[in-house]
Amino acid sequence: MATIALCAPHSSSAAPPVALLPQVKTFLLSKQSGISLIATADGVQIMLLVINGVPIETHARQNGLYRPKAQASARSLKSITPVDFSRLITAAGGLDKAINGTARAGEFYALYNSLTSVALPPDPCPADFAQKSDSEKALLRRQIRQGEASRFRPCFLGDEPLSRVAVTDDPFFAAWSFSRDGLGHYLGLTLPGVRAIWTLEI
């Protein structure tokens, strides 16, 4: 299957490319609905819910588990929980199944319309993190997998600088980009109306 290459900016230290799968363009141009697998990066599936050609919500899944999003960066037209996202995939008959005009459309739209946009859960970063000095925060970041420091792990979700990986082959996707940090801990997606940064750390 052909892919649309995403090329990194000129720097040799730029994030590695991600391949954008072409079926999402078909969904958008044909005003279709369903959930499209738009890319796979290092075993992480990035999926986009499209309703009548409009991008609505995105989630990322690795080894069958949904990756957590950085709350401060998350944006979608309708925020849908991972469990409901999976229910929509099932109702559509799987990924990349255009449902408009099919027997599955009624069930899919009934489920989608029943879902309310969920509020973001409370910030999991402990409140006392804000009182720590820059040097204390830097030490916590280095010790994040050890003992007491591990409770501050959510405070660092998505805080690393990300290298933008822009779509260059097709002007249709000029406003879309992927982003990655240098250590491979985070993966981001930005497009009109939808944005997410996921942690890839276990």
Side-chain angles (χ1 to χ4, degrees), residues 8-155:
H10 334 301
S11 167
S12 60
S13 62
V18 178
L20 181 66
L21 300 173
Q23 60 264 25
V24 67
K25 185 174 181 179
T26 303
F27 266 68
L28 299 173
L29 289 176
S30 63
K31 308 294 185 190
Q32 262 296 346
S33 296
I35 297 180
S36 181
L37 175 63
I38 64 171
T40 300
D42 298 333
V44 180
Q45 294 180 310
I46 303 168
M47 301 164 291
L48 181 68
L49 169 63
V50 178
I51 299 293
N52 295 322
V54 177
I56 300 294
E57 168 72 301
T58 186
H59 279 287
R61 193 167 59 182
Q62 185 179 32
N63 299 324
L65 300 175
Y66 284 88
R67 305 310 307 169
K69 291 181 184 179
Q71 294 173 185
S73 71
R75 181 176 75 237
S76 59
L77 296 190
K78 186 173 186 176
S79 181
I80 296 172
T81 64
V83 66
D84 286 332
F85 204 77
S86 285
R87 291 171 63 204
L88 285 168
I89 293 171
T90 300
L95 295 173
D96 302 319
K97 304 290 186 184
I99 59 98
N100 289 352
T102 71
R104 291 187 173 272
E107 177 187 354
F108 181 89
Y109 281 116
L111 174 57
Y112 174 74
N113 290 326
S114 74
L115 300 175
T116 57
S117 192
V118 297
L120 288 174
D123 188 347
C125 178
D128 57 328
F129 181 75
Q131 282 77 52
K132 298 199 176 294
S133 68
D134 289 346
S135 60
E136 288 174 318
K137 290 176 181 178
L139 180 61
L140 285 171
R141 185 70 181 95
R142 288 193 299 274
Q143 298 176 342
I144 203 65
R145 297 182 188 278
Q146 304 169 21
E148 176 68 10
S150 64
R151 76 184 180 93
F152 293 101
R153 192 168 180 177
C155 306

Side-chain angles (χ1 to χ4, degrees), residues 4-7 20 164-171 173-174 176-178:
I4 300 168
L6 299 179
C7 299
L20 181 66
R164 186 173 186 268
V165 186
V167 177
T168 59
D169 293 78
D170 188 340
F173 294 102
W176 292 42
S177 68
F178 288 95

